[in-house]
Amino acid sequence: MHDEVSTASMPRTDRGGHWERVRRQLDPVEVTPGPGTTDFRATVTTGDAGCLRLLSMRAAPLRLSRTARPVPAAQDDRLVLLLQEEGTAAVRQDGRTAVVGAGQLALLDLRRPFCLDQHTPFHLYALRLPGRALGPSAARARHATGRAIPATEGVAALLRPFAADVASGAAAFAGHVRDRLAGSVADLLATLVDEQARRRDGAASVTGRARTVDDIRAHIDAHLRDPKLSPALVARAHGISPRYLHVLFEGEDTTVHRLIQRRRIEECARELLRRGHEGRTISAVARGWGFRNAAHFSRVFKSVLGCSPSQWRDSAPQPAGPRPTR
């Protein structure tokens, strides 16, 4: 990293021109400060390593987006690997929406519309590279966009720390070393895209245990609105004991109870962002996704996403007119 633009330490009256420099650093991505933000602070640091364009950004809540305006045919540095270091965001692309937490990855394609809402103060790394750097795997990148990719297993567990080190420390290496580092990032990202594609289209063979875990996850997603959903009921629905259910999830970096809670919170978070639901109260959304107690819902929501339900809702763009109360 070698070029830094920051409004953090400036008097508020001097930030306008430098904020425009921040916008230019992120072009063609559009940057919109969070609703109600009048004292915007941001630090953007950029650099290069081989085919990679590197960016580190620390800022107050904001939206990064791309509209459907045409992209020049010759423009190929279109893929962006996001490393969410701090904060929580919602990413939307290709008809999918996901909540991206600290420590997770996401992939964006700049040729198509997307939206990345940072709902809390955040720090992220972005590594932008041409699609051709992924070789044949570039054609399968759509399988990975609009998703939160945990970095706890598989290729993501290798890629994330390596990409973060490249993004934060590439300037310390000689040019030919940076070229090799960039090539390694591209190779790992291509492998990750292939892995995601196999998982989505079912081409990869799975063990009986993995298939059972997938079935259980699908069952949980299908019954999230049922307030009675519990590990015991999940085990009964699959003809296994609660103890064996626990054994199945020992390698999943979560428990069934936590998975149910997190999936409910993710769905509540998505619904609170939908402008078509401005007439529903937070309590109604919580009840709709199986939460019986408002105080319990608020505690779980904050533990998962790092802010209260009202803060999350208020950070999203709202239509004109009165806003529902709790």
Side-chain angles (χ1 to χ4, degrees):
M1 298 285 184
H2 54 77
D3 188 6
E4 178 174 299
V5 177
S6 177
T7 65
S9 60
M10 296 177 181
R12 187 181 303 181
T13 55
D14 296 337
R15 291 178 184 164
H18 286 272
W19 170 233
E20 288 304 315
R21 286 186 63 197
V22 170
R23 290 178 184 270
R24 289 196 297 271
Q25 291 280 20
L26 298 172
D27 186 71
V29 177
E30 298 174 7
V31 187
T32 307
T37 301
T38 58
D39 186 19
F40 187 80
R41 296 169 180 262
T43 299
V44 176
T45 310
T46 59
D48 297 285
C51 65
L52 298 178
R53 297 179 63 186
L54 309 173
L55 178 144
S56 171
M57 185 173 191
R58 296 178 182 272
L62 54 72
R63 166 174 288 187
L64 302 172
S65 61
R66 182 75 191 262
T67 64
R69 62 189 174 92
V71 177
Q75 182 177 323
D76 188 41
D77 60 338
R78 59 183 177 86
L79 296 177
V80 178
L81 176 65
L82 297 175
L83 313 178
Q84 187 80 11
E85 296 292 298
E86 300 170 8
T88 303
V91 61
R92 296 190 287 278
Q93 188 168 47
D94 295 327
R96 294 183 290 266
T97 301
V99 176
V100 185
Q104 293 186 319
L105 308 171
L107 184 67
L108 296 173
D109 190 328
L110 296 183
R111 297 182 306 177
R112 299 192 297 279
F114 76 89
C115 185
L116 181 71
D117 284 309
Q118 297 283 353
H119 292 283
T120 59
F122 69 95
H123 176 210
L124 67 75
Y125 289 121
L127 294 83
R128 182 169 163 181
L129 72 165
R132 63 178 181 275
L134 270 61
S137 300
R140 295 183 283 276
R142 188 184 288 261
H143 290 279
T145 54
R147 303 184 187 278
I149 304 175
T152 54
E153 62 179 8
V155 179
L158 299 174
L159 173 58
R160 194 190 187 288
F162 181 73
D165 287 344
V166 172
S168 61
F173 297 97
H176 70 283
V177 177
R178 292 201 299 270
D179 290 347
R180 291 184 179 180
L181 293 174
S184 297
V185 170
D187 289 344
L188 283 171
L189 180 56
T191 306
L192 176 67
V193 166
D194 291 343
E195 179 183 72
Q196 292 291 309
R198 288 195 300 269
R199 289 179 177 179
R200 303 306 167 188
D201 65 18
S205 61
V206 294
T207 65
R209 175 172 176 163
R211 188 178 295 109
T212 300
V213 170
D214 287 345
D215 289 345
I216 290 171
R217 287 179 177 272
H219 177 88
I220 289 171
D221 283 348
H223 294 83
L224 282 176
R225 294 183 182 273
D226 182 358
K228 297 180 181 178
L229 183 65
S230 67
L233 288 179
V234 171
R236 185 184 307 167
H238 289 82
I240 59 178
S241 69
R243 179 177 176 80
Y244 184 60
L245 178 66
H246 175 73
V247 171
L248 285 173
F249 274 76
E250 283 181 346
E252 296 297 308
D253 196 35
T254 189
T255 64
V256 174
H257 175 71
R258 289 176 182 170
L259 176 61
I260 292 171
Q261 284 194 334
R262 181 172 184 88
R263 288 292 299 115
R264 281 175 169 163
I265 291 300
E266 289 176 344
E267 293 302 329
C268 289
R270 290 180 184 128
E271 187 161 342
L272 290 172
L273 291 180
R274 293 172 189 155
R275 301 180 72 173
H277 287 269
E278 67 268 21
R280 300 193 71 189
T281 65
I282 291 175
S283 296
V285 171
R287 288 194 301 270
W289 288 102
F291 286 98
R292 297 177 176 178
N293 182 284
H296 172 67
F297 165 69
S298 294
R299 287 195 300 270
V300 176
F301 194 101
K302 189 167 185 178
S303 70
V304 173
L305 297 182
C307 62
S308 70
S310 58
Q311 288 172 327
W312 178 275
R313 183 192 61 184
D314 294 346
S315 69
Q318 296 290 329
R323 178 178 295 169
T325 62
R326 284 184 171 278

